[in-house]
Amino acid sequence: IDLGESYLQRNNLEVARESFNKALEINPRSSQALHGLGLVEAKALNLDQARTYLKRAVALDPQNIPAVSDYAIMLCEKGAAEQGVALLENNVLHPELMSLSTRLAFGRCYQADQQTAKAIEAYKEVLVEDPELPQALLSMAHLNFDKQNYLSASAFLQRYFYTSTISSDALLLAARVEDMLNNPEERDYYTKQLWSRYPRSEQARTARELFSQ
């Protein structure tokens, strides 16, 4: 399992998969090995297989909180947010001991389940622990945009970009924020970045629909 985790961190998926499978040969009921295989398949974009492994990992050991967190995130991203929230709330019995990844899972699942206030509180706790975590900063920008708190959304986006992270999602959101703040020059800066970096993305198409004259 340790070897598998090491290879997974280095993105050597084939060797990681082999290591976790060897661990399962020794102990077919290893929740940790199944969790590892779930992460391997998720990185390989074999999402159905990843969910199967993670579900088995959680069934074998509901107190394998890292597996619970990762499975919950996959459920929430698949459109089963209510199930993902329930999984977290029923299995994470000591929230004060949560790891950063589990706090992030709560935020993402509450956000997907449209429990905005709880999502914001979860992300705030994440950012106390890691003020530069891009996923939390971008999520906070989205949540504040949805609440029409455009100045706050802009501030979180600036923090996001200061981490040297960039994405089509963030660029589109930044353009929409600046448009709502009546800053056409800033809006156009972000749309040009979006069209240049991600010309075939869904976000680029949306920006053309929204902002092209």
Side-chain angles (χ1 to χ4, degrees), residues 15 24 28 34 36-37 43 71 81 104 113 120 138 140 153 176 207 209:
V15 181
L24 282 177
L34 287 164
L37 282 171
K43 278 199 169 188
Y71 183 40
L104 187 61
D113 201 37
I120 288 174
L138 183 55
M140 285 291 279
R176 295 180 68 191
E209 294 172 0

Side-chain angles (χ1 to χ4, degrees), residues 13 17 37-51 74 77:
L13 301 186
R17 184 184 289 114
L37 282 171
L39 296 180
V40 168
E41 300 306 337
K43 278 199 169 188
L45 300 180
N46 301 322
L47 299 184
D48 287 341
Q49 187 65 61
R51 279 188 288 268
M74 293 205 75
E77 291 178 346

Side-chain angles (χ1 to χ4, degrees), residues 49-122:
Q49 187 65 61
R51 279 188 288 268
T52 297
Y53 282 131
L54 290 171
K55 183 177 181 179
R56 288 173 59 194
V58 171
L60 285 168
D61 183 6
Q63 288 308 300
N64 182 347
I65 302 304
V68 168
S69 302
D70 290 328
Y71 183 40
I73 288 174
M74 293 205 75
L75 288 172
C76 293
E77 291 178 346
K78 186 186 177 185
E82 186 175 348
Q83 185 180 350
V85 168
L87 181 69
L88 288 167
E89 291 182 341
N90 292 336
N91 289 280
V92 182
L93 304 179
H94 302 286
E96 69 279 4
L97 301 178
M98 284 190 297
S99 67
L100 181 64
S101 60
T102 301
R103 295 181 194 277
L104 187 61
F106 269 97
R108 292 173 71 175
C109 281
Y110 282 138
Q111 184 179 4
D113 201 37
Q114 299 183 351
Q115 297 190 47
T116 302
K118 288 186 176 181
I120 288 174
E121 286 305 309

Side-chain angles (χ1 to χ4, degrees), residues 32 57 141 179 201:
Q32 285 181 287
D179 189 59
S201 66

Side-chain angles (χ1 to χ4, degrees), residues 1-17 19-20 35-44 70:
I1 289 171
D2 289 343
L3 280 172
E5 290 174 349
S6 176
Y7 285 117
L8 180 61
Q9 289 175 359
R10 287 180 273 173
N11 216 36
N12 192 334
L13 301 186
E14 286 299 324
V15 181
R17 184 184 289 114
S19 297
F20 289 127
H35 179 208
L37 282 171
L39 296 180
V40 168
E41 300 306 337
K43 278 199 169 188
D70 290 328

